[in-house]
Amino acid sequence: MTIDIDHLTEEELVELNHRIVERLNFLESMNTHHEMMQFKPGEQVSFEPPGRGRQIGTLVKYNKKTVTIITESGQKWNVSPHLLSKVKNKKSKGKVGDKVIDFPIKK
């Protein structure tokens, strides 16, 4: 598809630009939301921040563009959902289906 913009005025071009940027932001938001919905709060996930080893934690909250993860060491991270991987269930201390999340006690 070819769009001829040569005949548009400066005002029309600026308006077109605003509409394009708005549409791109909407599409990005929809994509991020779709990626977020692959994970559920309370689920174990992993991610690898630059310059650090793989971090494993529990998803605790959805944000606008990220999710909040509490790692096993108690750190709080806001991570883009496309950087997350699901962690295969490791044997838990509680019953199957237990929804309790153990947070380390800070001293």
Side-chain angles (χ1 to χ4, degrees):
M1 167 171 66
T2 304
I3 300 174
D4 182 20
I5 61 170
D6 292 335
H7 67 283
L8 297 177
T9 65
E10 183 177 354
E11 186 177 299
E12 291 170 328
L13 287 169
V14 168
E15 177 61 27
L16 179 60
N17 178 57
H18 287 300
R19 291 186 65 196
I20 290 170
V21 168
E22 187 176 298
R23 178 69 177 156
L24 288 171
N25 287 337
F26 173 75
L27 292 173
E28 179 186 11
S29 174
M30 290 298 294
N31 186 38
T32 299
H33 178 75
H34 176 73
E35 289 175 342
M36 250 186 239
M37 294 299 104
Q38 306 303 311
F39 304 95
K40 294 179 176 42
E43 188 170 30
Q44 290 285 301
V45 295
S46 67
F47 61 98
E48 194 164 342
R52 293 187 167 210
R54 181 158 295 289
Q55 302 289 310
I56 296 175
T58 303
L59 189 150
V60 292
K61 179 181 166 189
Y62 296 125
N63 304 309
K64 189 172 183 177
K65 294 182 180 182
T66 63
V67 294
T68 300
I69 309 295
I70 303 292
T71 64
E72 293 176 331
S73 64
Q75 294 179 319
K76 179 179 170 183
W77 290 78
N78 289 333
V79 181
S80 179
H82 78 273
L83 298 175
L84 296 177
S85 300
K86 291 185 179 187
V87 174
K88 294 184 181 177
N89 287 342
K90 38 186 184 173
K91 295 185 180 183
S92 63
K93 299 175 190 172
K95 300 179 224 170
V96 175
D98 195 357
K99 299 267 183 184
V100 176
I101 301 170
D102 291 326
F103 291 104
I105 298 171
K106 292 183 180 178
K107 293 182 179 182

